[in-house]
Amino acid sequence: MTPPPDAPVSQSATTVADCLIEIRGLKTHFFTDEGVVRAVDGVDLDVRRGRTLCVVGESGSGKSITARSILQIVDDPGRIVAGSIMYRRTDAEPVDIATLHPRRATIRAIRGREIAMIFQEPMSALSPVHTIGNQIVEGIRLHLRVTKEEAHDRAVSFLGRVGIPKPETRMESYPFQLSGGMRQRAMIAMALSCGPSLLIADEPTTALDVTTQANILDLIQDLQAEFGMTVMFITHDLGVVAEIADDVAVMYLGMVVERGDVDAVFHDPKHPYTRALLRSIPRMGARSGARLEAIRGMVPHPFARPTGCPFHTRCQEAMPGVCATIVPPRESLAPGRDVRCLLHSDVERLERAQRVAP
Amino acid sequence: MSERDTPEGPRFGGKPLPPDDGGYVHAEVHDAAGVDVAPSDVAMAGSHGGLAEGGAADGVAAEAKIAVAGQWQLMWWKFRKHKLAMIGGIVTLMLYLVAAFAEVIAPFPADQYAARYTYAPPQPIGFVVETEAGRRFQPHVVGLTSQLDARTLRRTFVADPDEIVPIAFFVRGVPYKLWGLIPMERRLIGPVEGGQAMYLLGADRLGRDVLSRIVHGTRISMSIGLVGVALSLLLGIVLGGISGYYGGWLDNLIQRTIEFIRSIPAIPLWMGLAAAIPLTWPPLRVYFMITVILSLIGWTGLARVVRGRFLSLKTEDFVTAARLDGASEMRIIGRHMVPSFMSHIIATVTLAIPTMILSETALSFLGIGLRPPVVSWGVLLQEAQNIRALATAPWLLWPGMAVVIAVLSLNFLGDGLRDAADPYHT
Amino acid sequence: MSAQRSGESLVPPPRTRAHDASLPTPAVRPLLEVRNLRMWFPIVKGMFGRTVGHVKAVDGVDFTISEGETLGLVGESGCGKTTTGRCVVRITKPTGGEVIYHTASGESVDLAGLPNRQLKTYRREIRMIFQDPHSSLNPRMPVLDIVGEPLRVNGIASGRELEDRVAELIGKVGLRPEYLRRYPHAFSGGERQRIGIARALALDPRLVVCDEAVSALDVSVQAQTVNLLQDLQQEFALTYLFVAHDLSVVEHISDRVAVMYVGKLVEIAETDELFAAPLHPYTEALLSAVPKADPRLRNKGRRIRLGGEVADPANPPSGCYFHPRCRYAKDRCTVDEPALREIRPGHRVACHFAEELDLQGVAVG
């Protein structure tokens, strides 16, 4: 498949300066009584400045945990055990977030101020006992040196900006008095009120109806254009990805199995998992009437990660004896485009390497 | 609105979760808590495409075991991890064994008195005796001689090293009938020769052995908790069940009644009711009257728990499914609803027993509950009411220790049961 | 019936849709006729349960399901689609209207008013698959008892025979018959949903109400389950009422689709026609809002974004319930409530201006 001339997203080369966040070899594990859950197990990701990166995956893929690792808000008993998360600001030295203490001032200054996050369930981020206005004002005053009045005005203007009617009155509302869509807007206003350079959106539209989802997606895109924000959008919905992504990372069982710009991933998928996923979803308008091409089996339980390539147990193209033993390395196909699949690797070289260093 | 269109994503235990790892990891992991081996989705995944040479290798059998484990099995696995609850459970079990075999365990009958040993102090157990032949292993207590202070008329006891009272396990003692039926004379521990005195925890005002009395008191105090709770349970399940299952005005009536009962201050109510028990009643009838009085308030809490469970289960999908399957109301209650909250009830009941024990102790201590000659911990503590007695014989407080141990161990046990009660949710 | 399908053998025997030209059109015998169905939940206040109003969850819904077809029922949360499904299986007793079921022997019976005792026979033939595979299975029962329950309580099988029947059933839905003694906690979401499907099939039903049956599943498992439902429909000549909010799944599985908005049916038509040429502005907006899984379709076609909120079913607006959010609304829409009327054969819509509007469907891509 060759990209057509009118491919909406141009492929631009990645340079270091381009990357706002550069994740390398990130491992976040959960140490439970029953054993270690390797929720994130060697993730490499680039979040490029001013673009929208969609991280897509099923349950257990580690996409949310990856996002939470960036903010150092992984719940107990989870811990970042390896890897680096380089955060490159334009005006300051790069920081490795993975090495910061989750409760120290350095990360707290970044969290909410420079990197903001919105969640699937706004009620989990908004306090039920404080008004929307108070919560936004408090967030602003925590991070910015402004007077109470300035913070108030800022909050009102952001509520208005996210499309909440009568923002001045809504400042006095409690979260439960708003509808799902409005709550989501209020949370977005709160997240944006400090002018973050990166917005992490964790399935923000999953609990919403399609019509509301469309509005929220539009809003996020408009705000991104307006404020020049970078967006990292986590979802399981390939339709949403196709709608808003510039770059896509497909995750499976704690690994990024494929990465590239949206057109390449949708129209020239390299990883069998990506291909299977794209084939398995029903597409509107494409009324072939044929059966869906389902991926066989289930997502393995976190305690039972397959050896070798995590997807080999469900893969149509798995090579017997190879995929079960060798963890596929990241093969770069083009700048910003890579895949973890032995079909794209020099298997013999890997086998030799494995024999030398078992 | 009853309708909610939840988006795709794994859900757990009825609560929608973020359809991603966040929810997944936590939910699944917590779900598995209490289970030694990885939950058996492993084995299942294996079935769907030959999973995981690595993962499935260790203990397919163990996973299969979890897969077919019912709720009690899962609860036990989860309970087992709660160390304090396990200890509480063992102590509770021992207390009930003591209660059941009080006659065997107590060295003497509860009412055996000896005027010359009034307020005798506890005698430590010695293990080695010096004789002409040399040192010899012989568990014993050292005898006491008493002196009467002529001026203060107070009796003081001095150990008499010459008088060695050998003691042993399973000695012949005062004959008794176990549970009023089986004639026996062996006692767990006691002086080897009948008629000799042994006061391991001291003696009371009438020279009765405090240890023996505590052991006998265990039977009354521990059982009053059980009987009282059993009565509350009966009332609670029936009334709570009706309230929750049928709802409507009946529910309203029962709930208002519960609120009314709960609004009456407990101690004055008990006192009033207990004071109304005729003094002429035989001890057994008083005992039952007291349990009735205690459960009169106790049932309300249980009824609320049962009602809450019924209410939440009534709309649970699997109950609806059973109704659509054509199951009768009796079957739905018996096969689906009751098993779903039985474990919660057991935990609640376990936590209610200590309250009963404390209430009985309080009533008896105040002199309006059980009365001598019945022996309960509360009755025993009555002896420790006066400061002079306490100053002379602080060992009269030992029954209080028994209460503390019983209440604590039941509470620990109940906590553990409550945590394990729902092995399917966090 | 020994065909035991496990995960990997879910690859096609190619199946054609029931209404494809290659197959004879199904007998157009109606199986279920829903007429003017109403489900008003009272809003009670105060200690004495005074009724101060009604939530009109379902308010005058009419549709017919023919034997062997799949009717999709879509709409946003709170539109009453789930309640409609629950009225059909009589989890809730509708407050008005008729649910006429035509039995195999040709009799017709109105289920809406039937007391529970008399419902028993029909409950065998009209079954339900629930949305949440976790709460719909009793965690304290093994698969044998869960799937076997309808057989047991209806006195159809017991003991050894019951075991064989259940083993066969769970084989039908692609689970290993050895798993009879396992409890639900041993299964993943997709597998639990299969158990739920096996339970629905146990009594040889004619109509199955699928209430968001695949919504809670992972993307990759969703496709398996949709395929399974289609295979079973073919094998057992089932009729489905497929309640869902995911339009692409509904389009894939349904022969006809009904769209609901605030308790009312706004449009009903053959799937192809409804998706290609919707006649109601709400349907148009709904279709337009679904993200297309192809980045090259981005910004293609008209983007319709609904403003405002879904109307409150306890206090709906005057006239057409959709008029406050409708971009084509005229004065008449604020006063006159549009009736559902047939504009084209088999295509009914509740809009005053259905003939005049030029609405946009989904581009065939």
Side-chain angles (χ1 to χ4, degrees):
Chain A
M1 251 190 258
T2 49
D6 67 336
V9 181
S10 66
Q11 200 165 332
S12 61
T14 321
T15 63
V16 172
D18 257 0
C19 285
L20 184 64
I21 300 265
E22 191 184 58
I23 301 174
R24 287 293 173 268
L26 179 71
K27 292 189 177 189
T28 304
H29 294 178
F30 285 79
F31 298 87
T32 71
D33 290 349
E34 284 73 37
V36 178
V37 176
R38 287 145 63 190
V40 175
D41 205 33
V43 159
D44 301 326
L45 263 189
D46 296 324
V47 185
R48 289 154 75 191
R49 227 177 276 282
R51 291 169 70 96
T52 301
L53 168 72
C54 274
V55 181
V56 61
E58 296 177 272
S59 47
S61 66
K63 53 190 195 294
S64 271
I65 303 296
T66 305
R68 286 170 170 267
S69 300
I70 296 177
L71 282 178
Q72 283 274 16
I73 50 167
V74 181
D75 291 329
D76 262 355
R79 247 189 2 251
I80 297 177
V81 292
S84 65
I85 303 171
M86 294 309 290
Y87 173 45
R88 299 182 197 280
R89 289 176 265 205
T90 35
D91 51 353
E93 282 296 293
V95 210
D96 182 0
I97 294 177
T99 60
L100 298 180
H101 190 279
R103 282 183 296 277
R104 295 270 161 75
T106 332
I107 186 68
R108 277 194 278 118
I110 296 175
R111 218 186 267 155
R113 167 75 184 83
E114 296 175 40
I115 305 178
M117 188 158 176
I118 54 176
F119 301 89
Q120 177 184 345
E121 191 35 74
M123 287 308 266
S124 65
L126 297 172
S127 157
V129 295
H130 294 109
T131 61
I132 302 279
N134 275 343
Q135 296 184 50
I136 301 180
V137 167
E138 193 192 314
I140 295 172
R141 301 211 349 123
L142 191 68
H143 291 299
L144 306 177
R145 282 170 197 280
V146 289
T147 64
K148 228 172 181 160
E149 288 69 36
E150 283 167 348
H152 180 87
D153 293 346
R154 198 182 167 93
V156 174
S157 80
F158 269 96
L159 280 182
R161 181 60 200 86
V162 298
I164 292 181
K166 290 181 277 176
E168 191 69 49
T169 358
R170 278 299 175 205
M171 288 284 284
E172 307 305 317
S173 300
Y174 289 90
F176 67 86
Q177 294 169 320
L178 303 180
S179 70
M182 284 298 148
R183 250 180 243 155
Q184 202 59 263
R185 286 171 192 267
M187 185 166 63
I188 293 172
M190 194 160 115
L192 297 187
S193 59
C194 295
S197 48
L198 172 65
L199 176 72
I200 302 178
D202 188 0
E203 306 250 12
T205 60
T206 304
L208 304 174
D209 280 314
V210 274
T211 54
T212 320
Q213 163 172 291
N215 289 331
I216 297 289
L217 291 181
D218 285 354
L219 175 67
I220 291 176
Q221 283 184 294
D222 292 350
L223 292 169
Q224 177 177 24
E226 188 177 330
F227 298 105
M229 250 181 341
T230 308
V231 174
M232 179 173 173
F233 198 103
I234 291 146
T235 182
H236 67 278
D237 187 333
L238 289 165
V240 171
V241 176
E243 200 97 322
I244 65 160
D246 296 318
D247 301 309
V248 178
V250 182
M251 287 190 72
Y252 187 77
L253 281 191
M255 282 186 182
V256 174
V257 294
E258 178 160 9
R259 211 150 62 93
D261 72 75
V262 65
D263 196 70
V265 171
F266 274 78
H267 286 282
D268 185 21
K270 295 291 187 196
H271 198 284
Y273 176 62
T274 318
R275 276 184 237 159
L277 213 52
L278 284 167
R279 276 200 305 263
S280 72
I281 51 167
R283 286 167 191 260
M284 282 219 314
R287 296 261 302 162
S288 63
R291 288 169 57 95
L292 297 172
E293 290 181 54
I295 305 178
R296 66 182 180 185
M298 306 282 168
V299 177
H301 192 277
F303 285 120
R305 284 177 63 95
T307 54
C309 171
F311 186 60
H312 83 265
T313 53
R314 307 173 71 193
C315 184
Q316 296 274 3
E317 296 161 67
M319 297 175 281
V322 179
C323 292
T325 48
I326 304 174
V327 179
R330 186 159 65 104
E331 298 290 341
S332 184
L333 306 171
R337 178 99 177 91
D338 47 46
V339 63
R340 270 185 189 269
C341 176
L342 294 175
L343 291 171
H344 300 277
S345 298
D346 181 352
V347 172
E348 276 176 37
R349 186 175 52 79
L350 290 169
E351 276 179 328
R352 251 180 287 124
Q354 202 173 41
R355 270 198 300 274
V356 174
Chain B
M1 290 293 311
S2 61
E3 179 170 323
R4 182 179 143 75
D5 302 326
T6 318
E8 299 94 305
R11 302 178 92 225
F12 210 81
K15 283 174 292 191
L17 287 162
D20 186 25
D21 12 52
Y24 191 79
V25 169
H26 298 301
E28 294 287 334
V29 166
H30 284 300
D31 181 46
V35 181
D36 289 347
V37 211
S40 46
D41 283 17
V42 178
M44 298 312 302
S47 72
H48 271 271
L51 169 105
E53 289 83 290
D58 48 359
V60 173
E63 286 142 20
K65 202 174 111 197
I66 294 162
V68 298
Q71 71 160 329
W72 302 109
Q73 184 73 62
L74 291 177
M75 273 178 70
W76 167 241
W77 284 335
K78 200 168 169 185
F79 178 78
R80 214 169 43 179
K81 294 212 155 172
H82 201 313
K83 287 286 169 315
L84 214 51
M86 281 296 282
I87 295 169
I90 290 167
V91 173
T92 306
L93 190 73
M94 277 163 46
L95 281 173
Y96 276 109
L97 280 176
V98 168
F101 296 99
E103 293 97 335
V104 187
I105 287 157
F108 305 102
D111 49 3
Q112 179 180 305
Y113 62 92
R116 55 183 282 249
Y117 287 113
T118 296
Y119 292 133
Q123 295 166 299
I125 297 177
F127 290 99
V128 176
V129 189
E130 305 263 359
T131 57
E132 298 83 41
R135 293 154 74 98
R136 190 161 58 85
F137 176 75
Q138 169 63 63
H140 65 273
V141 292
V142 178
L144 297 169
T145 49
S146 61
Q147 289 156 353
L148 195 64
D149 187 314
R151 205 148 45 85
T152 60
L153 288 177
R154 271 178 75 171
R155 205 184 280 272
T156 50
F157 289 91
V158 187
D160 175 7
D162 293 337
E163 195 195 343
I164 298 289
V165 181
I167 60 171
F169 284 118
F170 296 108
V171 291
R172 270 175 215 282
V174 182
Y176 58 92
K177 281 188 174 171
L178 183 62
W179 306 323
L181 296 171
I182 312 160
M184 289 177 78
E185 52 177 19
R186 293 278 174 192
R187 288 176 180 271
L188 180 66
I189 193 168
V192 174
E193 278 170 56
Q196 283 189 299
M198 178 188 80
Y199 293 102
L200 294 182
L201 293 183
D204 68 0
R205 184 168 46 87
L206 298 176
R208 293 173 295 198
D209 179 26
V210 171
L211 174 64
S212 301
R213 288 177 71 75
I214 291 177
V215 168
H216 282 279
T218 306
R219 176 171 285 176
I220 302 286
S221 290
M222 292 299 282
S223 69
I224 213 159
L226 271 193
V227 176
V229 161
L231 266 174
S232 319
L233 187 63
L234 197 73
L235 279 169
I237 284 191
V238 170
L239 291 173
I242 291 174
S243 194
Y245 195 77
Y246 292 104
W249 67 270
L250 215 53
D251 177 35
N252 231 331
L253 181 77
I254 293 172
Q255 288 315 303
R256 298 297 90 78
T257 312
I258 288 177
E259 275 153 27
F260 173 72
I261 293 178
R262 299 205 93 161
S263 69
I264 305 171
I267 299 271
L269 177 70
W270 282 332
M271 288 176 72
L273 288 172
I277 299 175
L279 285 166
T280 50
W281 276 18
L284 198 67
R285 206 189 290 170
V286 175
Y287 171 86
F288 278 110
M289 222 33 231
I290 294 285
T291 61
V292 168
I293 291 170
L294 291 180
S295 44
L296 209 63
I297 286 181
W299 74 272
T300 56
L302 273 166
R304 289 209 155 160
V305 174
V306 173
R307 171 179 180 265
R309 289 281 147 195
F310 263 110
L311 279 182
S312 64
L313 281 169
K314 213 162 58 166
T315 53
E316 192 78 21
D317 275 353
F318 69 81
V319 172
T320 308
R323 193 161 288 134
L324 294 181
D325 286 345
S328 64
E329 292 303 294
M330 280 320 290
R331 189 180 165 87
I332 288 170
I333 295 174
R335 286 277 288 151
H336 292 273
M337 298 176 85
V338 173
S340 302
F341 64 66
M342 215 47 231
S343 51
H344 296 266
I345 297 297
I346 292 173
T348 314
V349 160
T350 313
L351 288 170
I353 295 176
T355 322
M356 290 278 173
I357 293 177
L358 284 175
S359 310
E360 181 275 326
T361 309
L363 283 184
S364 303
F365 179 76
L366 293 174
I368 49 175
L370 298 171
R371 284 182 286 262
V374 174
V375 186
S376 81
W377 292 338
V379 171
L380 293 181
L381 280 173
Q382 235 185 313
E383 300 254 345
Q385 263 181 4
N386 107 36
I387 278 288
R388 229 197 86 191
L390 267 188
T392 327
W395 50 87
L396 291 181
L397 281 176
W398 279 116
M401 199 60 199
V403 174
V404 170
I405 290 173
V407 169
L408 274 183
S409 54
L410 277 162
N411 272 329
F412 288 147
L413 172 68
D415 273 344
L417 287 175
R418 193 177 48 195
D419 291 349
D422 197 344
Y424 305 103
H425 298 155
T426 40
Chain C
M1 295 232 302
S2 65
Q4 181 222 319
R5 212 181 323 95
S6 71
E8 55 263 63
S9 58
L10 279 170
V11 204
R15 176 193 178 268
T16 38
R17 301 181 64 86
H19 68 263
D20 267 5
S22 55
L23 278 176
T25 38
V28 277
R29 249 183 10 161
L31 184 77
L32 191 83
E33 288 173 70
V34 173
R35 288 189 198 145
N36 197 20
L37 185 73
R38 275 200 311 273
M39 185 67 228
W40 293 8
F41 293 102
I43 308 170
V44 285
K45 276 229 172 95
M47 192 166 154
F48 301 103
R50 202 160 41 89
T51 303
V52 294
H54 286 97
V55 175
K56 297 172 180 173
V58 179
D59 194 21
V61 162
D62 281 284
F63 60 82
T64 305
I65 308 177
S66 307
E67 216 169 318
E69 80 165 342
T70 301
L71 177 68
L73 191 56
V74 298
E76 294 177 276
S77 30
C79 72
K81 56 185 192 296
T82 293
T83 311
T84 305
R86 290 169 84 91
C87 285
V88 168
V89 292
R90 274 295 307 275
I91 290 172
T92 41
K93 188 171 178 175
T95 46
E98 293 164 65
V99 178
I100 294 164
Y101 171 65
H102 299 276
T103 62
S105 55
E107 294 158 53
S108 302
V109 57
D110 179 10
L111 303 176
L114 227 52
N116 270 318
R117 218 163 355 95
Q118 291 171 36
L119 269 175
K120 207 168 175 182
T121 358
Y122 307 109
R123 282 206 161 135
R124 288 192 196 180
E125 296 172 16
I126 305 177
R127 303 283 290 158
M128 176 149 164
I129 299 169
F130 292 82
Q131 167 177 10
D132 183 353
H134 293 283
S135 69
S136 62
L137 306 181
N138 187 343
R140 290 164 180 82
M141 282 188 174
V143 174
L144 174 64
D145 288 351
I146 293 172
V147 178
E149 173 120 327
L151 296 168
R152 196 174 273 152
V153 297
N154 285 288
I156 291 169
S158 62
R160 189 69 229 169
E161 198 199 340
L162 181 87
E163 222 162 285
D164 292 344
R165 289 283 293 267
V166 174
E168 189 187 302
L169 276 165
I170 67 171
K172 282 273 171 219
V173 297
L175 294 175
R176 290 198 196 175
E178 299 96 273
Y179 293 160
L180 277 188
R181 314 249 169 241
R182 294 194 165 192
Y183 285 82
H185 65 251
F187 299 91
S188 70
E191 290 163 325
R192 287 190 207 210
Q193 199 59 306
R194 286 168 189 254
I195 298 171
I197 294 171
R199 171 175 61 192
L201 292 181
L203 294 169
D204 237 339
R206 294 177 69 216
L207 173 66
V208 178
V209 175
C210 309
D211 182 14
E212 302 274 9
V214 298
S215 306
L217 305 177
D218 262 326
V219 186
S220 67
V221 179
Q222 204 172 38
Q224 293 173 1
T225 314
V226 167
N227 285 344
L228 174 66
L229 286 172
Q230 289 186 317
D231 292 345
L232 294 169
Q233 179 170 39
Q234 197 82 331
E235 188 173 349
F236 299 106
L238 298 173
T239 306
Y240 287 142
L241 176 58
F242 196 87
V243 178
H245 70 275
D246 186 334
L247 286 148
S248 41
V249 173
V250 168
E251 191 206 20
H252 181 83
I253 202 169
S254 310
D255 300 308
R256 288 192 304 135
V257 176
V259 183
M260 283 186 77
Y261 186 74
V262 197
K264 289 185 183 293
L265 221 54
V266 295
E267 186 166 7
I268 180 167
E270 296 253 329
T271 310
D272 291 334
E273 189 171 329
L274 187 114
F275 278 73
L279 289 177
H280 198 285
Y282 177 64
T283 314
E284 183 194 34
L286 212 53
L287 293 176
S288 159
V290 178
K292 319 288 180 291
D294 183 348
R296 290 179 193 169
L297 295 179
R298 214 185 268 183
N299 303 324
K300 292 260 174 76
R302 208 186 304 162
R303 279 153 60 94
I304 300 163
R305 296 296 184 249
L306 287 183
E309 304 276 332
V310 176
D312 177 5
N315 184 23
S318 62
C320 171
Y321 288 179
F322 186 58
H323 85 260
R325 306 174 77 191
C326 181
R327 48 201 251 148
Y328 311 104
K330 301 209 173 75
D331 289 346
R332 185 184 170 192
C333 303
T334 60
V335 230
D336 250 6
E337 197 186 317
L340 196 67
R341 56 209 174 93
E342 189 152 358
I343 304 273
R344 295 181 205 145
H347 196 154
R348 292 188 297 150
V349 63
C351 175
H352 297 305
F353 303 102
E355 290 93 341
E356 300 153 34
L357 298 174
D358 176 28
L359 303 181
Q360 170 195 275
V362 180
V364 177

